Amino acid sequence: MNVNQSAPPVPPFGQPQPVYPGYHQSSYGGQPGSTAPPTPYGAYNGPVPGYQQTPPPGVSRAPPSSGVPPTSTAQVPLGQGAYGQFGQGDIQNGPSSTVQMQRLPGSQPFGSAPLAPVVSQPNVLQPYGPLPTSAQVTAQMAGMQISGAVTPSGLGYGPPTSLASASGSFPNSGLYGSYSQGQAPPLSQAQGPSGSQPPQRSAPQQASSFTPSASGGPRMPSMTGPILPEQSFVGPPVNQPNHVSSPPPQVPHPGTQIAGLPGQPPPMHSSQQPGYQLQQNGSFGPVQGPQPNYGSPYPGAPTFGSQPGPPQPLPPKRLDPNAIPSPIQVIEDDRNNRGSEPFVTGVRGQVPPLVTTNFLVKDQGNASPRYIRCTSYNIPCTSDMAKQAQVPLAAVIKPLAKLPPVEASPYVVDHGESGPLRCNRCKAYMCPFMQFIEGGRRFQCCFCSCINDVPPQYFQHLDHTGKRVDAYDRPELSLGSYEFLATVDYCKNNKFPSPPAFIFMIDVSYNAIRSGLVRLLCEELKSLLDFLPREGGAEESAIRVGFVTYNKVLHFYNVKSSLAQPQMMVVSDVADMFVPLLDGFLVNINDSRAVITSLLDQIPEMFADTRETETVFAPVIQAGMEALKAAECAGKLFLFHTSLPIAEAPGKLKNRDDRKLINTDKEKTLFQPQTGAYQALAKECVAQGCCVDLFLFPNQYVDVATLSVVPQLTGGSVYKYACFQVENDQERFMSDLRRDVQKVVGFDAVMRVRTSTGIRAVDFFGAFYMSNTTDVELAGLDGDKTVTVEFKHDDRLNEESGALLQCALLYTSCAGQRRLRIHNLALNCCTQLADLYRNCETDTLINYMAKFAYRGVLNSPVKTVRDTLITQCAQILACYRKNCASPSSAGQLILPECMKLLPVYLNCVLKSDVLQPGAEVTTDDRAYVRQLVTSMDVAETNVFFYPRLLPLTKSPIESTTEPPAVRASEERLSSGDIYLLENGLNLFIWVGASVQQGVVQSLFGVSSFSQITSGLSILPVLDNPLSKKVRGLIDSLRTQRSRYMKLIVVKQEDKLEMLFKHFLVEDKNLNGGASYVDFLCHMHKEIRQLLS
């Protein structure tokens, strides 16, 4: 069957197919094929000197190799450097060999042409691929050097050299010029032939040539002057978007030249001249000969066949942060290149745009990346290859993800009493990849190859391509995601379910009453109950509600509509919990509105004078579950709890907080539950379809690790408001509660992931319970929760047929309807490691690695977990270096294009509070974050580990777009500006000490910096453009995140600034976490050790 066959314009089942003006399928990012965006840099001033093909007179050179013309006189095409054959820093002793160094067999998957010696073949392009597409920036550090520009096969590092600056000196940069956001000036390329193709995703990975020019002539003086008329500036931007292959080779134009930034150091010169040879994988060789503006280290230029002269003084070792991969640049490039066109899912194994890019999805047979994202979209054919690469094969699945309004929700298919069509052997559901045979009377399962009969009522003829003629009338034959209505066979006890119920269980102990929590909550519930989730266009929600209050005992309320006043029933025997009433406990909100309102008015008054400080916890959950069992329905418990449950009752806890255990082998006990009682309780809850959402309001240690067990295993959520104060935390709590009550939830759910032959699901991460090795059981599942699945090989895969995943979720909707939601995804398979590395997604990889590590701390010392992460990352990058990158000096660090952010993001995970806590981080905070990350999606982990830092005062006030982010480092902060930082849970505004008085007045309504209240959590509402813009931006950021982010205003040099700096993740932190630069050096060392 042809997976790539496109759908007719308007499928009969109603999928909206908007027309996208200018949509051009074959190129990325909306760029037309043969042209590229104009260069972002201005030109240098002054005349442009001509390039010299031969060294100037008086420069001695290496003796020519026998039988081969000297390098400089070989007929090399103009605009392309001649390549010698020695590695970085090697000195040629005696005549050079005529044979170019041979590459290892493992690293030859790239070009079809045989390798040939460059020097002896005039007028031939380099054997390793097209001309370089980007310029390099050198930067110094101990024994290694980093190039800022990167092309698809990776980023390179070379040995130390001294690169001179053209303009003399640059502030704060030592010898190294800083290009903005890690970007070197682009190398301009001549216009390709008019019919030249845009970059294709399947283009072979280009390997780099690996040696510098043998000519020892000096470098050309820096370029100045206006751009000459014949120069064309059509090269691609320097940092190519992640996952996009390099453009095809273009014919060099005699006048090509590099545009540079005014006032910035000169870019690397084009390969027509001696010096750095630009190389395709972003690495480059050492400069051999003096630099512009620098004298030769000793009189006369060096002769490379002779002995070196006196030693040069070593320049200071400093790595320019601008020359290492920038997350901001990668995100920006992906937005520019892939945000303007829809992502059409018809092609197998496509890498989607990054999670940080806003894009539209058109489902044409594979599930949207909003539902499933993979660590790699091209998986190794054999387990040996997978072990060699060490890249985890995993999918992050968000089965009930909320789609943007412009995308259609999955279609619901009703097959009547016969139910959905499935494979008889493996039970996979009908999907677009099933192959119909024998004129449509049978189908072959794409997962297990079993031949199945097509039931008479489902029969349809095939067209000339072997596709059913009704394929586009049926969502299950043409779309990646859809739903089936389940028959009674899919229901518990073969009986259709009742609509679910919500039970609100409120702690009325002394702490809860005193803080104002109970009064606030009761007031809010009066209006909130009108917004319970409802199905489709239903006028009212089918969900019934019940109320319980508790301290050491439990109080149940009868709110039957026929009563004039609510009735309270007290259960004091908490050891043997039962529900004292059935009729009148769970009611329809509209029928019993007057009684419920009366109850919510009375609760704060009833307990206003309480002196009871002790609480129970497990019996409360037990009571809620028993109530749902008696009502024969699934549902959710909303628990509002304030303190450690120390009252005599099942599940009683003691304070076991002990900071002395940190960094010892017993540290793992802090993350483990105190007692097994809560796991047993959670198992009962899952069997009943009882999901628990827990809202915690602790003033001290409450043992989150234990209290969160039931929410975690039932698919629920935990919210924590430490030291709750109504005036400061009201908005955050109310917003979280509203969102939690209103969100669409699937109840009593079971999820199974099926795979085609060759791989199988072996491990699962998330908030759920598993009673066997295949079924993920969820008492409740909402649109924010993900389940992460890891796959392993159990057989060899086939490159032609690829690999298939099918996620099937059986659940009860809010209206009580039993449904099956199906997501399908086809992946490519590869026999070359280069294809694996070219199709990875770093954000998903980090999501998996963080969850793997956060589960690891339950059973292993934290140091062991950290070391495991570092070793795995080093193995991934060393395997790439050994098998995919071009041969080059060991002094270079070469990163795959798709993984160039792996080190910076992994360092953020290693520095997180769970794996490296600071003195101010409590045990409860660590346990809270650990369980939170377990079910985060890829977008949430991306911003959680690498926060966004947005300058508020640099973009024009009238601009309606979000200000461009800057890197999360203190170096990027200017004391004259104001910045906003967000990580999905926290929101900070940092105010520089020398911000203009007018800006302070506009934003804070005070006349000077000193009058701003540090720790302010609400900006004043002022009627001016800046205030409106900043408040609008904050509101917009809050709507993007699943939890309300509380604002904290931080002033420069203030005590709160330490908290803010904790989120500047590229810097060293106080807990001993490495800076990005230091960690990159460390990774390089680890990789070199593995390679040697």
Side-chain angles (χ1 to χ4, degrees):
M1 158 187 167
N2 179 7
V3 178
N4 303 341
Q5 187 167 337
S6 57
V10 184
F13 53 80
Q15 160 141 1
Q17 298 274 2
V19 178
Y20 300 96
Y23 176 52
H24 184 51
Q25 181 76 37
S26 63
S27 72
Y28 275 142
Q31 292 178 21
S34 56
T35 60
T39 172
Y41 301 106
Y44 280 101
N45 303 318
V48 178
Y51 288 113
Q52 290 174 262
Q53 275 304 109
T54 54
V59 176
S60 52
R61 56 185 320 136
S65 46
S66 58
V68 179
T71 315
S72 60
T73 56
Q75 297 298 305
V76 180
L78 214 62
Q80 184 194 327
Y83 289 72
Q85 81 259 26
F86 294 100
Q88 306 267 352
D90 291 346
I91 302 252
Q92 176 181 349
N93 265 331
S96 69
S97 141
T98 58
V99 184
Q100 179 120 4
M101 187 185 294
Q102 288 302 308
R103 302 171 43 152
L104 297 171
S107 58
Q108 287 182 344
F110 312 107
S112 49
L115 300 181
V118 153
V119 196
S120 58
Q121 285 197 354
N123 296 322
V124 176
L125 287 169
Q126 305 112 291
Y128 285 112
L131 269 174
T133 56
S134 54
Q136 274 81 5
V137 177
T138 58
Q140 179 106 24
M141 77 182 165
M144 105 182 205
Q145 168 187 328
I146 299 202
S147 78
V150 195
T151 44
S153 49
L155 178 97
Y157 298 87
T161 63
S162 55
L163 170 62
S165 66
S167 58
S169 65
F170 301 100
N172 307 323
S173 63
L175 289 174
Y176 315 102
S178 55
Y179 291 98
S180 65
Q181 303 300 350
Q183 205 173 313
L187 169 67
S188 305
Q189 289 189 334
Q191 182 87 31
S194 57
S196 68
Q197 290 300 309
Q200 296 294 331
R201 115 148 277 105
S202 57
Q205 185 159 347
Q206 304 300 342
S208 71
S209 305
F210 53 90
T211 45
S213 161
S215 152
R219 295 185 41 154
M220 302 306 303
S222 59
M223 297 177 288
T224 50
I227 297 169
L228 299 181
E230 75 275 11
Q231 293 168 347
S232 53
F233 285 76
V234 294
V238 175
N239 275 12
Q240 298 198 1
N242 254 3
H243 327 307
V244 181
S245 308
S246 61
Q250 295 182 323
V251 182
H253 189 291
T256 54
Q257 181 180 309
I258 301 162
L261 274 171
Q264 295 271 23
M268 301 308 306
H269 296 323
S270 89
S271 49
Q272 291 167 305
Q273 59 188 91
Y276 267 68
Q277 298 301 322
L278 300 175
Q279 296 184 8
Q280 189 63 27
N281 71 342
S283 61
F284 43 82
V287 169
Q288 302 191 339
Q291 310 275 315
N293 292 3
Y294 271 62
S296 179
Y298 48 94
T303 304
F304 287 105
S306 65
Q307 292 301 310
Q312 304 177 37
L314 280 173
K317 293 174 181 172
R318 181 182 181 278
L319 178 62
D320 179 3
N322 286 321
I324 56 182
S326 158
I328 304 305
Q329 189 63 50
V330 170
I331 289 168
E332 201 52 44
D333 288 342
D334 195 75
R335 279 182 184 157
N336 294 338
N337 286 286
R338 306 195 66 187
S340 56
E341 293 186 350
F343 177 70
V344 182
T345 71
V347 182
R348 183 177 85 188
Q350 283 184 103
V351 181
L354 298 182
V355 284
T356 42
T357 299
N358 279 328
F359 59 99
L360 191 66
V361 179
K362 286 176 73 176
D363 185 341
Q364 288 189 1
N366 282 292
S368 159
R370 304 192 205 288
Y371 294 122
I372 307 181
R373 277 188 179 265
C374 294
T375 53
S376 179
Y377 288 79
N378 202 331
I379 57 183
C381 281
T382 64
S383 59
D384 290 346
M385 194 172 153
K387 281 182 191 132
Q388 188 184 359
Q390 286 287 318
V391 175
L393 304 175
V396 179
I397 305 174
K398 197 175 181 184
L400 297 179
K402 198 171 173 223
L403 300 181
V406 288
E407 291 175 25
S409 294
Y411 289 92
V412 181
V413 180
D414 185 358
H415 282 316
E417 287 183 14
S418 60
L421 188 55
R422 305 175 70 174
C423 168
N424 291 330
R425 184 197 290 161
C426 71
K427 302 297 181 202
Y429 293 87
M430 180 52 67
C431 72
F433 310 122
M434 298 287 190
Q435 187 70 47
F436 287 87
I437 53 176
E438 297 179 21
R441 287 187 296 278
R442 307 176 90 186
F443 71 91
Q444 182 171 19
C445 175
C446 51
F447 293 94
C448 70
S449 304
C450 175
I451 307 284
N452 298 269
D453 291 327
V454 173
Q457 73 274 16
Y458 199 77
F459 172 78
Q460 186 53 272
H461 296 285
L462 309 183
D463 64 14
H464 65 285
T465 65
K467 214 177 174 71
R468 281 174 58 122
V469 296
D470 66 346
Y472 294 111
D473 300 345
R474 291 189 176 273
E476 74 272 23
L477 299 182
S478 55
L479 295 177
S481 300
Y482 42 88
E483 289 197 328
F484 292 119
L485 281 188
T487 58
V488 75
D489 306 335
Y490 291 88
C491 303
K492 263 187 194 161
N493 310 322
N494 278 3
K495 195 170 120 192
F496 281 114
S498 307
F502 283 179
I503 304 178
F504 295 90
M505 316 188 88
I506 305 166
D507 176 349
V508 288
S509 65
Y510 176 72
N511 282 342
I513 296 291
R514 190 194 62 183
S515 67
L517 168 65
V518 174
R519 191 172 294 279
L520 175 69
L521 176 58
C522 290
E523 203 54 47
E524 177 62 26
L525 283 176
K526 288 184 208 169
S527 55
L528 186 55
L529 293 175
D530 289 331
F531 297 98
L532 299 177
R534 63 194 73 181
E535 198 66 35
E539 285 189 17
E540 62 176 57
S541 175
I543 292 172
R544 291 169 296 162
V545 295
F547 300 89
V548 172
T549 56
Y550 68 94
N551 38 46
K552 258 169 48 173
V553 297
L554 276 76
H555 323 107
F556 292 80
Y557 296 93
N558 183 344
V559 283
K560 200 172 177 181
S561 55
S562 55
L563 296 173
Q565 284 293 320
Q567 294 172 348
M568 177 203 270
M569 295 183 184
V570 179
V571 177
S572 53
D573 183 6
V574 290
D576 182 19
M577 184 46 62
F578 66 97
V579 180
L581 75 159
L582 291 179
D583 189 31
F585 179 62
L586 294 177
V587 297
N588 177 291
I589 178 74
N590 285 335
D591 295 347
S592 299
R593 181 176 300 279
V595 192
I596 290 172
T597 303
S598 171
L599 170 67
L600 293 171
D601 283 337
Q602 288 177 40
I603 286 174
E605 306 308 326
M606 257 190 294
F607 299 99
D609 301 325
T610 185
R611 285 284 167 264
E612 186 56 75
T613 56
E614 292 186 358
T615 56
V616 295
F617 187 73
V620 184
I621 295 173
Q622 182 84 36
M625 184 196 64
E626 297 290 352
L628 294 176
K629 191 184 279 185
E632 295 186 338
C633 68
K636 186 183 267 199
L637 311 182
F638 295 85
L639 247 85
F640 305 90
H641 190 80
T642 59
S643 56
L644 193 69
I646 54 172
E648 278 306 325
K652 174 186 174 181
L653 301 178
K654 62 179 191 291
N655 187 335
R656 55 163 184 164
D657 190 14
D658 186 0
R659 292 193 64 85
K660 290 198 284 294
L661 296 182
I662 293 177
N663 294 327
T664 69
D665 284 354
K666 288 189 176 175
E667 184 173 7
K668 60 190 176 200
T669 59
L670 297 175
F671 295 110
Q672 296 165 351
Q674 252 185 71
T675 159
Y678 287 95
Q679 271 116 323
L681 182 57
K683 185 178 175 181
E684 287 183 64
C685 286
V686 172
Q688 183 48 48
C690 168
C691 173
V692 179
D693 279 358
L694 175 59
F695 292 79
L696 282 171
F697 305 86
N699 290 332
Q700 54 204 32
Y701 178 76
V702 288
D703 199 350
V704 172
T706 305
L707 296 189
S708 65
V709 165
V710 179
Q712 178 79 4
L713 292 179
T714 59
S717 308
V718 179
Y719 298 84
K720 181 165 159 285
Y721 310 88
C723 304
F724 179 81
Q725 292 177 305
V726 170
E727 56 277 12
N728 288 339
D729 301 297
Q730 170 178 350
E731 196 178 351
R732 178 175 157 226
F733 166 52
M734 290 292 100
S735 174
D736 285 342
L737 178 62
R738 284 175 201 136
R739 198 173 188 282
D740 198 57
V741 168
Q742 292 173 33
K743 65 183 164 194
V744 174
V745 182
F747 293 96
D748 211 359
V750 182
M751 181 178 121
R752 183 176 281 193
V753 177
R754 293 179 174 85
T755 53
S756 53
T757 311
I759 54 169
R760 63 196 171 90
V762 293
D763 209 351
F764 300 84
F765 304 83
F768 52 77
Y769 178 77
M770 290 187 83
S771 55
N772 57 37
T773 56
T774 55
D775 293 343
V776 174
E777 298 174 48
L778 303 122
L781 175 69
D782 60 55
D784 298 325
K785 298 278 188 315
T786 64
V787 176
T788 301
V789 187
E790 186 183 6
F791 303 98
K792 288 262 164 69
H793 288 75
D794 56 8
D795 203 348
R796 189 183 170 86
L797 292 165
N798 182 330
E799 255 187 303
E800 279 180 33
S801 54
L804 301 176
L805 316 178
Q806 183 179 80
C807 163
L809 177 80
L810 174 66
Y811 71 99
T812 301
S813 75
C814 293
Q817 198 175 50
R818 203 71 176 145
R819 291 186 179 179
L820 283 150
R821 180 168 287 203
I822 313 293
H823 298 297
N824 304 287
L825 185 63
L827 302 172
N828 287 330
C829 297
C830 58
T831 53
Q832 302 289 354
L833 283 165
D835 291 326
L836 163 69
Y837 282 102
R838 196 183 293 117
N839 291 280
C840 285
E841 214 208 20
T842 301
D843 293 330
T844 311
L845 203 53
I846 288 293
N847 180 286
Y848 164 84
M849 291 172 104
K851 290 173 181 176
F852 179 80
Y854 280 18
R855 187 177 65 185
V857 298
L858 289 173
N859 307 307
S860 308
V862 171
K863 184 181 185 311
T864 309
V865 174
R866 289 165 49 81
D867 292 345
T868 305
L869 281 183
I870 293 172
T871 305
Q872 183 172 15
C873 180
Q875 284 172 329
I876 291 170
L877 298 176
C879 174
Y880 174 81
R881 172 65 187 262
K882 182 178 176 185
N883 299 290
C884 307
S886 313
S888 54
S889 145
Q892 290 179 304
L893 171 58
I894 299 182
L895 302 171
E897 172 67 11
C898 291
M899 288 191 190
K900 62 186 177 187
L901 299 181
L902 187 60
V904 63
Y905 286 162
L906 185 73
N907 190 35
C908 297
V909 175
L910 293 170
K911 293 201 292 189
S912 63
D913 289 339
V914 174
L915 298 183
Q916 199 166 39
E920 73 293 342
V921 179
T922 67
T923 306
D924 274 348
D925 286 338
R926 296 176 74 196
Y928 174 63
V929 167
R930 194 195 76 77
Q931 61 82 32
L932 210 54
V933 168
T934 307
S935 47
M936 276 186 181
D937 69 13
V938 180
E940 287 172 321
T941 51
N942 174 274
V943 76
F944 178 73
F945 289 114
Y946 191 95
R948 294 170 71 201
L949 184 60
L950 308 172
L952 297 180
T953 43
K954 288 188 173 173
S955 55
I957 288 184
E958 59 279 2
S959 161
T960 52
T961 55
E962 223 170 69
V966 296
R967 293 169 72 163
S969 167
E970 199 176 347
E971 285 187 4
R972 309 285 161 174
L973 301 177
S974 145
S975 65
D977 288 309
I978 297 178
Y979 297 81
L980 187 145
L981 182 141
E982 63 122 353
N983 75 340
L985 296 180
N986 306 287
L987 197 57
F988 292 94
I989 285 184
W990 181 88
V991 188
S994 42
V995 172
Q996 289 175 1
Q997 196 175 332
V999 172
V1000 171
Q1001 183 72 52
S1002 299
L1003 205 49
F1004 301 101
V1006 294
S1007 55
S1008 70
F1009 173 79
S1010 59
Q1011 292 175 305
I1012 299 171
T1013 310
S1014 182
L1016 192 72
S1017 60
I1018 297 172
L1019 289 180
V1021 178
L1022 302 171
D1023 188 12
N1024 65 67
L1026 180 63
S1027 177
K1028 285 177 184 169
K1029 181 182 173 179
V1030 172
R1031 285 183 288 110
L1033 174 63
I1034 289 171
D1035 291 343
S1036 154
L1037 293 176
R1038 281 173 174 158
T1039 57
Q1040 291 170 28
R1041 306 294 171 213
S1042 62
R1043 295 181 179 229
Y1044 183 91
M1045 297 184 289
K1046 182 181 171 183
L1047 174 68
I1048 300 177
V1049 173
V1050 175
K1051 294 161 69 175
Q1052 188 176 3
E1053 308 292 333
D1054 188 80
K1055 60 181 185 297
L1056 269 177
E1057 198 182 27
M1058 291 317 296
L1059 178 62
F1060 172 78
K1061 284 182 179 174
H1062 179 67
F1063 297 97
L1064 300 177
V1065 288
E1066 287 199 21
D1067 301 335
K1068 275 194 179 94
N1069 70 13
L1070 292 173
N1071 320 341
S1075 69
Y1076 176 18
V1077 168
D1078 292 344
F1079 184 69
L1080 209 49
C1081 298
H1082 179 68
M1083 281 313 303
H1084 185 219
K1085 195 173 85 183
E1086 294 279 327
I1087 292 165
R1088 287 179 73 166
Q1089 280 177 347
L1090 286 172
L1091 291 174
S1092 60

